[in-house]
Amino acid sequence: MTESRRRKTPLVADKRYPSKGRRPAATKRTAKPAGKKAVARKTAARRTTRKKTRKKSGGGGGFFRRLFRWAARLIWGVTWRVGAVAAMLLALAVGVVYTSLPDLDALLDGRARGSVTLLDRNGDVFAWRGDQFGGVITADTVSPHLKNAVVATEDKRFYRHFGVSPRGIASAVRINLSEGRGPLSGHGGSTITQQTAKLLCLGVPYVPGEWDSEAAYEADCRQGSLWRKAKEAVYAIAMEVKYSKDEILTIYLNRAFLGAGARGFEAASQRYFGISAAEVNPAQAAMLAGLLVAPTRYAPTNNLQRSQNRARLVIGLMEDQDYLTTAQASTARNNPAELSEAAAAQAGGYFADWVITELPSYFGTNTRDDVVIRTTLDQRLQKSAEEALKYIFQEKVREGSKAQAAIVVMSADGAVRAMVGGRKTRVSGAFNRATQALRQTGSSFKPFVYATALELGYSPLDTVVDEPYCVNIPGSGQWCPKNYTNKFYGRVTLADALKNSLNIPAVKAAEVAGLDNVRTVASEFGIESDLAQGPALALGASESTLIEMTGAYAGILNGGSAVEPYGLSELKLLGDETPVMVTTTGIGERVINDKAAKQLTWMMERVVSEGTGGRAKLPGWQVAGKTGTTQAARDAWFIGFTADYVAGVWMGYDDNTPLSGVTGGGLPAEIWRETMLRVTEGMTPTPLPMLAPDPPVRTAQPQQQRRRQGGGFENAINNLLNNLFGN
């Protein structure tokens, strides 16, 4: 076989795909079936190829990717199903709340109690009590500056969210964490809608019998648990469905608490500025909006400077959000809001509290109506008393002294014109030393001893011997009163005994007149406290309040008739023309005759013009009065009057610490004088209604000495013209 014949035929690739338009040619040879070995070889080749492919594709990475895809599909499947269920539950909850929401008008005034507005004697507002609601305002009628200030301060995205702001919540959590607090402590991220839901207490009304107090109810409404927040969010979304944005803002503007008892921006604007919320300028709007964060702390009546500083921050927010131009913001900062004259004066805090407590509770502390009370207060006289007290403590009392004082000024018919219940005059709900403090009266009680004697027919010029004197008191033993000076002055007239505040003559006069009679006269003049039973009654051992004592002295000035101090002239329900209550005078029944009252006034005038009350003299005016100092100087009094006004002053310590170097004729008389100098400014002096006595013809002796002579008190009266006085 030749070499050419051994040469193999060259290998060529199989033509697997025929040329276009041509069918593949038939194979000349028929392929033999593949054997088992050939099949095994092909299978092994395919496996090797797959292994190489897996190796090139990263090995186990594909497994983890498939696992991640499976987990993601599982999470997504669970999430969208849970989300769908949650959305359905949320929609159901919102629907339930939606059906319970009332009409808008029912949500604007949510107070649990009404308000009391107090007017002075001229009809000007000077105080408010209860929850003040100035009237309904809307987002359309309120000043645009106030509307913008509220939105800028509380919820700048108010008109763009659906009731809940996830961005605001996230921002609040971030701020809380950055300031070292818990995520839900401090800033809450609540929208105006959520705050409104909280103000509505999620639709739960206040029912007095179901809560310990209104404060407990409000505390429950303000709690910040997660469950409460969730319910609040549902309620807010339902409100967004039920009401328009401006309607929600209207509810908020009318229900927000803004300090000093003001509920709603209309009440707050009237309370602080004396104008409607529709009229406030940017500075005033910023101050009102600034109260929302902490109403009591930032109330301008508590601290005007702090409130103005807070308002500057709000002005900055309004400027940043383009509610104010740069020029408007600058003007507002340079001209901060100021309180109205009535709000700045805060006149008559003690007086207002006293008037409220004198009312039936359904017109006062527990009223559910809006009540307007016209009172007897004279704001000029109130300012006079406050300034006088401040002046004396600044100029005459050592720095750091804890001594207190109280002042009452009234007309002769009992109409209270001014009241100061302590050194802090800008107060509400404070302890009132003029009406609540029961203190021993000391020698300021002596006029009622002599009033009794004069009523029985004795003369101011009748005499009594001032000498050592003792009385046996059953169960207590012997009691021997002494004069303040520890001296005895012999025979003195009743007028001189009162003028110099001598104790022994007062005790003897009370014995002669009869202790029961003295108690009767004092109680009928209005001293309602328990009066001492023994002879120490004459020296003021009993306790009384300043307003009682001042009212009793008013009875002397008016000619001897009892006086009931009063502060209410007229009470009306807001909107009604017919008064519910009216008081025209406090004068009651006559206690002593007119002549006795005028002679007693003459005796008391000498106390000021010649005796222990000399520091109370007023240039050009006749003044009658009486000093009083109790044992160990725990209480010091001066009560006196001109023809127009009666004024009482008490001074002492709340814990009964003795006063140092103070008597009734000292600082109390000076406080009285400073008060009345201001009260009488510009007035024409009027003479006192007094009557000088006829020349004396008798002397006096104690009742127990008369008993030893065989006669009683009745015999002493019958023998009045037969030298009843004397030893």
Side-chain angles (χ1 to χ4, degrees):
M1 185 178 293
T2 62
E3 185 176 350
S4 61
R5 297 180 69 174
R6 290 180 187 154
R7 186 179 301 136
K8 295 179 181 180
T9 305
L11 295 173
V12 294
D14 292 337
K15 210 167 190 180
R16 298 178 183 275
Y17 304 104
S19 300
K20 188 176 181 179
R22 296 180 57 185
R23 295 174 62 90
T27 304
K28 293 181 179 181
R29 295 181 182 181
T30 302
K32 294 181 179 180
K36 291 182 179 180
K37 293 183 178 180
V39 172
R41 284 196 298 272
K42 289 182 180 180
T43 302
R46 283 197 298 270
R47 288 175 180 169
T48 302
T49 302
R50 282 198 294 268
K51 287 181 180 180
K52 289 181 179 180
T53 303
R54 283 198 298 269
K55 186 175 182 180
K56 288 180 181 179
S57 64
F63 170 76
F64 288 109
R65 276 196 294 274
R66 286 194 301 276
L67 181 63
F68 177 77
R69 291 191 194 100
W70 176 84
R73 286 194 296 271
L74 177 64
I75 292 171
W76 169 248
V78 172
T79 300
W80 79 261
R81 287 174 174 82
V82 171
V85 172
M88 292 174 62
L89 292 175
L90 176 62
L92 180 62
V94 169
V96 171
V97 174
Y98 174 89
T99 59
S100 69
L101 292 174
D103 292 336
L104 177 67
D105 292 343
L107 300 177
L108 301 183
D109 183 2
R111 296 172 299 160
R113 57 176 180 162
S115 65
V116 180
T117 301
L118 294 111
L119 314 178
D120 65 12
R121 65 184 301 190
N122 298 317
D124 297 324
V125 176
F126 73 90
W128 299 261
R129 292 295 184 271
D131 291 343
Q132 195 77 15
F133 184 69
V136 172
I137 54 171
T138 69
D140 294 328
T141 61
V142 76
S143 164
H145 299 303
L146 181 54
K147 179 178 178 180
N148 294 337
V150 171
V151 172
T153 306
E154 295 299 305
D155 187 2
K156 65 182 180 182
R157 287 183 287 274
F158 173 66
Y159 285 99
R160 300 195 296 274
H161 60 63
F162 56 90
V164 178
S165 175
R167 188 190 305 181
I169 295 172
S171 177
V173 170
R174 177 181 59 79
I175 294 173
N176 291 335
L177 292 174
S178 67
E179 294 179 352
R181 295 192 294 266
L184 299 179
S185 301
H187 300 278
S190 296
T191 65
I192 285 178
T193 311
Q194 287 175 281
Q195 293 181 51
T196 305
K198 186 178 293 185
L199 289 172
L200 296 172
C201 203
L202 307 185
V204 178
Y206 173 65
V207 180
E210 297 179 3
W211 298 88
D212 293 338
S213 65
E214 188 179 352
Y217 165 78
E218 292 185 351
D220 183 75
C221 293
R222 292 193 297 268
Q223 65 161 298
S225 64
L226 284 174
W227 176 239
R228 185 76 176 194
K229 288 286 187 183
K231 292 197 295 183
E232 185 180 289
V234 170
Y235 201 92
I237 295 171
M239 290 181 65
E240 293 277 347
V241 177
K242 176 76 172 181
Y243 311 113
S244 69
K245 287 288 188 179
D246 278 349
E247 286 176 335
I248 293 171
L249 186 59
T250 293
I251 299 171
Y252 186 68
L253 293 174
N254 282 280
R255 293 189 72 117
F257 177 66
L258 296 163
R263 296 280 180 175
F265 281 88
E266 179 66 13
S269 182
Q270 294 176 8
R271 174 71 177 85
Y272 299 128
F273 309 130
I275 59 175
S276 169
E279 303 173 278
V280 296
N281 60 34
Q284 293 167 331
M287 181 174 285
L288 292 175
L291 297 173
L292 291 166
V293 67
T296 301
R297 173 176 172 77
Y298 289 110
T301 48
N302 287 342
N303 190 318
L304 180 59
Q305 184 63 52
R306 182 190 296 154
S307 185
Q308 290 175 337
N309 292 339
R310 171 68 183 165
R312 290 188 182 93
L313 296 177
V314 176
I315 291 168
L317 293 174
M318 295 174 71
E319 182 181 13
D320 292 342
Q321 296 174 40
D322 296 327
Y323 289 122
L324 293 176
T325 65
T326 301
Q328 288 175 320
S330 178
T331 299
R333 290 190 187 96
N334 295 332
N335 299 277
E338 297 285 349
L339 290 169
S340 67
E341 185 176 346
Q346 295 184 358
Y350 291 108
F351 178 89
D353 289 341
W354 171 66
V355 169
I356 296 298
T357 58
E358 292 293 297
L359 293 173
S361 61
Y362 50 83
F363 283 137
T365 53
N366 297 324
T367 181
R368 295 194 175 186
D369 298 303
D370 291 320
V371 177
V372 179
I373 300 174
R374 191 171 188 133
T375 71
T376 60
L377 183 75
D378 188 315
Q379 294 201 57
R380 185 183 71 84
L381 272 61
Q382 179 68 31
K383 183 178 180 182
S384 298
E386 292 176 1
E387 289 180 349
L389 187 65
K390 182 178 180 181
Y391 171 79
I392 292 297
F393 272 88
Q394 284 182 344
E395 300 296 326
K396 303 291 181 73
V397 179
R398 72 176 185 275
E399 187 176 354
S401 172
K402 301 298 183 182
Q404 283 290 347
I407 305 171
V408 172
V409 181
M410 68 174 64
S411 300
D413 68 342
V416 178
R417 302 302 184 189
M419 179 182 290
V420 179
R423 290 171 62 180
K424 290 184 178 180
T425 56
R426 302 292 188 263
V427 295
S428 175
F431 179 69
N432 189 340
R433 295 162 187 84
T435 62
Q436 295 175 287
L438 280 169
R439 308 297 295 223
Q440 282 194 343
T441 58
S443 294
S444 63
F445 184 83
K446 289 176 182 175
F448 307 110
V449 173
Y450 294 107
T452 307
L454 295 173
E455 173 66 12
L456 293 173
Y458 291 96
S459 165
L461 299 182
D462 286 338
T463 62
V464 63
V465 177
D466 180 28
E467 61 186 353
Y469 181 73
C470 295
V471 179
N472 287 319
I473 301 176
S476 299
Q478 198 173 60
W479 177 66
C480 303
K482 295 181 180 180
N483 293 321
Y484 181 77
T485 60
N486 288 319
K487 297 179 181 179
F488 302 102
Y489 297 90
R491 189 174 298 279
V492 295
T493 64
L494 299 185
D496 285 340
L498 180 64
K499 177 184 73 175
N500 296 312
S501 198
L502 301 179
N503 289 336
I504 294 171
V507 173
K508 288 185 175 182
E511 285 283 309
V512 169
L515 296 179
D516 288 341
N517 292 330
V518 173
R519 276 190 290 271
T520 298
V521 168
S523 62
E524 288 182 355
F525 265 125
I527 301 176
E528 298 176 352
S529 309
D530 290 337
L531 296 172
Q533 295 300 310
L537 168 73
L539 304 185
S542 305
E543 294 180 334
S544 185
T545 62
L546 178 61
I547 194 168
E548 278 185 357
M549 291 294 288
T550 308
Y553 275 54
I556 299 172
L557 173 60
N558 70 33
S561 295
V563 161
E564 178 71 28
Y566 71 99
L568 180 147
S569 295
E570 185 180 82
L571 183 149
K572 294 180 180 179
L573 299 181
L574 186 65
D576 288 355
E577 292 298 324
T578 304
V580 178
M581 299 174 63
V582 176
T583 306
T584 57
T585 183
I587 295 179
E589 296 182 357
R590 178 168 293 281
V591 180
I592 60 176
N593 62 71
D594 185 67
K595 178 182 177 181
K598 289 180 177 178
Q599 287 186 338
L600 181 58
T601 300
W602 176 84
M603 293 171 65
M604 295 171 68
E605 189 277 334
R606 296 180 77 234
V607 172
V608 176
S609 62
E610 304 175 22
T612 58
R615 294 191 186 183
K617 290 179 181 177
L618 291 176
W621 288 82
Q622 290 180 337
V623 174
K626 184 66 187 77
T627 59
T629 309
T630 61
Q631 187 177 14
R634 290 184 173 89
D635 302 277
W637 304 70
F638 184 85
I639 309 173
F641 49 85
T642 64
D644 300 289
Y645 294 109
V646 186
V649 176
W650 166 87
M651 188 174 179
Y653 286 93
D654 288 338
D655 61 1
N656 276 322
T657 298
L659 293 161
S660 178
V662 177
T663 64
L667 289 178
E670 293 190 40
I671 293 172
W672 189 95
R673 179 179 184 274
E674 290 297 328
T675 299
M676 295 303 291
L677 279 173
R678 293 165 172 78
V679 167
T680 58
E681 185 176 359
M683 296 176 62
T684 302
T686 305
L688 283 169
M690 59 185 182
L691 178 65
D694 296 327
V697 295
R698 297 178 294 277
T699 58
Q701 67 178 4
Q703 182 178 357
Q704 67 179 47
Q705 292 185 14
R706 292 197 315 278
R707 284 176 180 161
R708 287 199 296 270
Q709 296 172 1
F713 180 76
E714 292 80 4
N715 291 333
I717 298 301
N718 293 331
N719 296 319
L720 180 62
L721 300 178
N722 296 319
N723 199 19
L724 287 177
F725 284 95
N727 293 320

